[in-house]
Amino acid sequence: MLKLAAFIVDKRNLIFLLVGLSLLFSVFSRNWVQVENDLTAYLPADSETRQGLDVMAEQFTTFGSAKLMVANVSWTKAQELAEEIRGMAGVQSVAFDQSTDHYHNASALYGITFDYPQEDDACLDALNAVLDRCSAYDTYLDTSLGNQLAEIIASEVSVIMVIVALIVVAVLTLTSQTYAEIPVLLLTFVSAMIMNMGTNFLLGKISFVSNSVTSILQLALSLDYAVILCNRFKEEYEKAPLREAVVTALSKGIPEIGASSLTTVGGLVAMLFMRFRLGPDMGICLIKAIFFALLSVFVFMPGLLMLFGPWMDKTRHRSFVPKIPFVGKFAWATRHVVPLLFVALVAAAFFFSSKCPYVYGYDTIVTPKLNEQQIAQRMIRENFTSSNLVALVVPSGDYAAERAVLDELDAMEQVDHTQGLSNTEALGGYMLTDRLTPRQFAELADLDYELSRLIYTAYATEKQEYGKLVGGVATYSVPLLDMFLFVWDKVEEGYVSLDADTAARLSDAAAQMKNGMVQLQGEDYTRMLVYLNLPESGDETYAFTDTIARVAREHYPEGNIYVVGNSTNAYEFQKSFARDNVVVSLMSILIVLVVLLFTFKSVAMPLLLILVIQGAIWINFSVPVFTHVDLFFIAYLIVSSIQMGANIDYAIVIASRYMELKNQMEHRDAIIETMNFAFPTILTSGSILAASGFILGRISSEGTIVGIGQSIGRGTLISIALVMFTLPQILLLGGGVIEKTSFSMPAALRKREASGRVTVDGVVRGEVHGSVSGVMHAVVDGKVDLTLLSGTVEEEAQHEN
């Protein structure tokens, strides 16, 4: 470690150059990062909803659409405006009538469908033209077109980062001993953050959640690493020159900081085992963030210490963090009471946390702040009746089965209405899939009957349905939709001639039918739209989506059936959560447990520390039960992993210090000294993590980010409270159990004797002109007789002068 540390310090100018180039590259490469704004993209690949979404993307065209509410407008003016919008370029249709679905409280709601697929930028051009036309009115727009969510989140995160940065500077100023260490810490943090952001493009595409909160959490989670190395340096600088102080501090800090990071990484690794792939997405981003934080601390920060080291002597100030002997005294006085109260509290928290009001859709989530889109959605929801839309995807080709499914669903009280090819009216009261004879089609299309017979004959020939011609074409019936499109194809090909009026009428009808076809009829599947009188999420809604699938399977016994919509998304989230909840909890506990077993070499100590933090997690997620605030489920999965991995460091600091001191002084004095020692570290790291969480929860308007932020902030404060006012009592009361369950790792002892000029580097026990025990880094002139626990003893070759 000394050799590695010396190399890093001596090559600091090269490292500065490489870091500078990396930062310059990252500033540009961060713009290459692709962000996924749709949570359904992270559903398990084998889930029915994910498969249904993939089928719909492949088989159907979804045109761009928007809901536009115009407030304070008369019915006459609203009707005129609807006609104007219908006539605008790029607008395919405008849904508007006198029903309360479209006009209510002197406000109009237009359902606008554009001529282009929703991913086409031409939709945005047409939408902007509509908004310009309505600029004189009070308008509220609800649409998924464009990158509104990404733009909103980006602007909010920018504000959050500034506020968090100010808090970090304030906390570091209060907890530092010299002002010169503050720029060292900040430069270390910022470089790690920028390099992590600049390498996210290597992951292909990351979620908007990871893109938004990773940098903020990276700062809060990795703060300890830089603070530990800085404190080490200040200790060494008291007794050694600058270079030697940095080298020694780094050689001691690498194993210490590396061990500290293992619990944090261990908690994040648990997220990689989630079926809901947002967990692995965020877990990988955060693990990578920790890696860059370690890299920045180990490689970049030593050079900064060399630069700013001389200024640390000149900028010393008194400590602003007070001693807290009262905490240790309280722990000693209540050591027989608090552990019992803690057990009762944890038992109650375990029960209530299982009742946490998790939700799997956004319809009931309340955020402290509303963005423009949310305000528009609320205004539309408060003024107009709305339906919950789900899509039913079935094998294509059976119009009779489709009509039977739609009729059965329409008869159910949970269904407002349905829409499919089989119940969409075309012309003359006929539905698109009604079968018409040549005479019926001639009357409907205003064609000559003989021409109609000829067209039917051509259709049967092209479809190779020759048997239909044997019995006479007059009785041959064909679905209206199929025949209409066949006729129009022949008109366009020049095989059928029509007068101008008939051709214009058929052209309009064919265009509408083709638009309906690409939206509802695919090569292998047919899509039906079912509008429900149920909320987007809830057990009743989830059960009814199963009913829809059951009805469809009765009429389509062969082939796959998919029910897709916001409700099925939420239903799939619920099913994933049932598994991921158990997996994440167990994996985070097991991984951290293994790390702590090797850290403390005791069975009882890791269990006690994990119980304290797990108790904090249960208390944290009991709070929504009493505040009656719905929590988006992903917040628990992510925050529980972070809380276990990061907050347990606070418990480790206290436990390690107490175990070191309890054999040197009275237990009462040891716990008082331990709390005085641990308080600045916990205050620095905990306050920044808690503040970052609360700021995320307060300033963001996105439900997932709000839930994560609020839960992290609240959970960190609870963890701090327990490790400060409960863990000390547990250590005092459980000291005997900890010692009885301790074990030691076997070590290979090597006996070495040497004389002359001898270099000793390692943990040794023996004699060097007297007894010695400890870590030696020395050159000895004389004879040594040592038992080597680790390291080396090398006898140097003699050189003649």
Side-chain angles (χ1 to χ4, degrees), residues 315-539:
T315 59
R316 288 186 178 275
H317 61 78
R318 68 180 182 85
S319 175
F320 298 113
V321 180
K323 298 291 185 181
I324 53 169
F326 65 91
V327 175
K329 294 176 182 178
F330 173 78
W332 178 259
T334 60
R335 65 190 183 278
H336 297 294
V337 178
V338 169
L340 297 177
L341 295 176
F342 171 70
V343 171
L345 177 62
V346 168
F350 173 74
F351 171 77
F352 285 111
S353 64
S354 65
K355 307 294 183 183
C356 184
Y358 298 115
V359 294
Y360 308 94
Y362 276 37
D363 53 325
T364 62
I365 293 178
V366 178
T367 57
K369 175 185 174 182
L370 296 178
N371 57 50
E372 290 184 7
Q373 190 175 40
Q374 290 169 327
I375 293 172
Q377 290 170 344
R378 173 178 287 187
M379 289 294 293
I380 292 172
R381 188 167 56 248
E382 289 177 352
N383 285 278
F384 299 96
T385 56
S386 60
S387 299
N388 175 19
L389 170 64
V390 297
L392 173 60
V393 180
V394 299
S396 63
D398 192 341
Y399 292 141
E402 177 184 337
R403 184 60 183 265
V405 169
L406 293 174
D407 287 344
E408 188 170 344
L409 292 176
D410 270 323
M412 296 182 178
E413 62 180 4
Q414 296 91 341
V415 176
D416 181 71
H417 66 281
T418 62
Q419 181 181 350
L421 292 176
S422 299
N423 67 352
T424 298
E425 186 174 348
L427 298 169
Y430 290 110
M431 301 299 170
L432 285 173
T433 59
D434 285 350
R435 304 182 72 88
L436 275 65
T437 63
R439 183 170 296 282
Q440 290 172 315
F441 184 76
E443 294 172 352
L444 177 66
D446 195 21
L447 297 176
D448 181 75
Y449 176 60
E450 293 304 322
L451 176 59
S452 179
R453 286 171 57 90
L454 181 61
I455 291 172
Y456 268 66
T457 301
Y459 181 89
T461 303
E462 184 171 294
K463 301 298 181 180
Q464 298 182 353
E465 295 180 350
Y466 304 113
K468 302 293 184 180
L469 302 177
V470 175
V473 73
T475 59
Y476 181 29
S477 62
V478 176
L480 170 60
L481 175 65
D482 296 345
M483 182 53 68
F484 222 106
L485 295 179
F486 175 78
V487 170
W488 184 246
D489 286 342
K490 298 308 176 186
V491 170
E492 290 186 320
E493 292 171 4
Y495 293 114
V496 176
S497 298
L498 301 173
D499 61 75
D501 291 340
T502 303
R505 189 169 65 254
L506 289 182
S507 176
D508 292 339
Q512 294 180 23
M513 290 183 185
K514 286 181 178 179
N515 287 335
M517 280 284 290
V518 297
Q519 293 182 79
L520 299 176
Q521 183 76 55
E523 183 177 349
D524 304 306
Y525 288 91
T526 294
R527 177 163 61 176
M528 293 174 266
L529 306 181
V530 184
Y531 294 84
L532 306 180
N533 297 318
L534 297 171
E536 283 190 357
S537 58
D539 291 340

Side-chain angles (χ1 to χ4, degrees), residues 265-344:
V265 172
L268 299 175
V269 166
M271 296 167 62
L272 304 182
F273 293 89
M274 291 170 52
R275 286 191 76 240
F276 184 47
R277 292 181 294 120
L278 181 64
D281 174 84
M282 192 166 183
I284 291 172
C285 287
L286 285 172
I287 291 172
K288 184 166 68 71
I290 298 298
F291 167 77
F292 276 105
L294 292 173
L295 185 67
S296 184
V297 169
F298 292 155
V299 177
F300 183 47
M301 187 174 173
L304 295 176
L305 291 173
M306 290 293 293
L307 284 178
F308 288 88
W311 292 93
M312 290 191 180
D313 281 333
K314 301 176 182 179
T315 59
R316 288 186 178 275
H317 61 78
R318 68 180 182 85
S319 175
F320 298 113
V321 180
K323 298 291 185 181
I324 53 169
F326 65 91
V327 175
K329 294 176 182 178
F330 173 78
W332 178 259
T334 60
R335 65 190 183 278
H336 297 294
V337 178
V338 169
L340 297 177
L341 295 176
F342 171 70
V343 171

Side-chain angles (χ1 to χ4, degrees), residues 63 68 74 86 155 177 249 273 301 311 317 379 553 672 702 737 793:
F63 290 106
L68 180 64
S74 67
R86 286 191 183 101
S155 64
Q177 296 173 337
F273 293 89
M301 187 174 173
W311 292 93
H317 61 78
M379 289 294 293
R553 289 192 179 95
I672 292 174
E702 208 290 322
V737 178
V793 174

Side-chain angles (χ1 to χ4, degrees), residues 97-148:
D97 54 40
Q98 261 187 306
S99 70
T100 56
D101 290 346
H102 295 284
Y103 188 81
H104 185 59
N105 291 338
S107 297
L109 179 63
Y110 304 110
I112 305 172
T113 302
F114 299 100
D115 281 329
Y116 319 100
Q118 60 183 359
E119 62 274 8
D120 193 328
D121 289 340
C123 286
L124 288 175
D125 296 334
L127 175 60
N128 289 331
V130 171
L131 293 177
D132 288 342
R133 173 61 189 84
C134 301
S135 60
Y137 301 92
D138 295 329
T139 57
Y140 300 90
L141 176 68
D142 180 18
T143 183
S144 59
L145 297 177
N147 293 314
Q148 281 189 321

Side-chain angles (χ1 to χ4, degrees), residues 226-239:
V227 171
I228 289 172
L229 182 57
C230 190
N231 290 338
R232 278 287 185 188
F233 165 73
K234 288 184 290 186
E235 290 177 8
E236 298 297 331
Y237 199 26
E238 296 286 340
K239 52 190 177 184

Side-chain angles (χ1 to χ4, degrees), residues 18 24 49 189 225 276 336 459 551 627 640 657 699 711 743 754:
L18 294 176
L24 183 62
T49 299
F189 300 151
Y225 311 150
F276 184 47
H336 297 294
Y459 181 89
V551 170
T627 58
S640 61
R657 188 67 171 181
I699 294 182
S711 299
F743 60 90

